[in-house]
């Protein structure tokens, strides 16, 4: 997981939801000193997990932070577009778009 924000705020959110247990590693911008969309934070995650960019998929709901950052790091970018927003001409172009996380297994061929 890669997330922007203050460490205490993000850690609290992760603790309340319990979601941290499903991730092998968590990178919070305030803890690592790199903020999305800087591709360096994505490379840091890839290095820590010993995964090549060509084998990675990044799912995020912010075009300018998540999709732009993943694309800059040569990672397949999936835009989680829960609200059905329309991309604007200057928005980054995701490799894939899904409306819910429930669509992710089929996209990844895991269903």
């Amino acid at each position: 997981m890669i997330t922007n924000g203050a460490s205490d705020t993000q850690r609290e959110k992760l603790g309340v939801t319990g979601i941290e247990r499903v991730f092998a590693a968590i990178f919070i911008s305030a803890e690592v000193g790199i903020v999305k969309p800087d591709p360096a934070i994505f490379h840091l995650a890839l290095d820590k997990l010993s995964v090549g960019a060509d084998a990675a998929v990044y799912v995020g709901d912010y075009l300018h932070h998540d999709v732009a950052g993943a694309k800059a790091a040569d990672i397949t970018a999936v835009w989680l577009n829960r609200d059905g927003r329309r991309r604007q001409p200057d928005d980054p172009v995701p490799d894939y778009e899904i409306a819910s996380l429930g669509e992710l297994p089929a996209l990844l061929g895991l269903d």
Side-chain angles (χ1 to χ4, degrees):
M1 170 184 262
I2 300 171
T3 184
N4 283 348
S7 182
D8 58 344
T9 303
Q10 298 302 74
R11 291 284 174 192
E12 182 178 342
K13 288 179 187 178
L14 293 170
V16 167
T17 62
I19 198 169
E20 76 273 5
R21 70 180 177 272
V22 302
F23 291 97
I26 296 172
F27 301 87
I28 299 173
S29 61
E31 293 176 359
V32 299
I34 310 167
V35 178
K36 293 183 296 183
D38 187 331
I41 196 166
F42 294 88
H43 290 291
L44 182 67
L46 293 171
D47 291 345
K48 171 77 175 183
L49 297 169
S50 299
V51 173
D54 59 334
V57 174
Y58 189 83
V59 180
D61 55 358
Y62 289 102
L63 286 168
H64 290 278
H65 292 158
D66 298 316
V67 170
K71 299 285 283 184
D74 294 322
I75 297 171
T76 298
V78 179
W79 180 31
L80 177 58
N81 183 9
R82 290 182 179 110
D83 303 323
R85 289 174 279 145
R86 292 184 180 242
R87 281 186 34 262
Q88 300 303 307
D90 63 331
D91 285 339
V93 179
D95 295 299
Y96 301 96
E97 179 178 337
I98 58 176
S100 76
L101 289 174
E103 296 175 47
L104 194 57
L107 179 68
L108 299 176
L110 301 173
D111 56 346

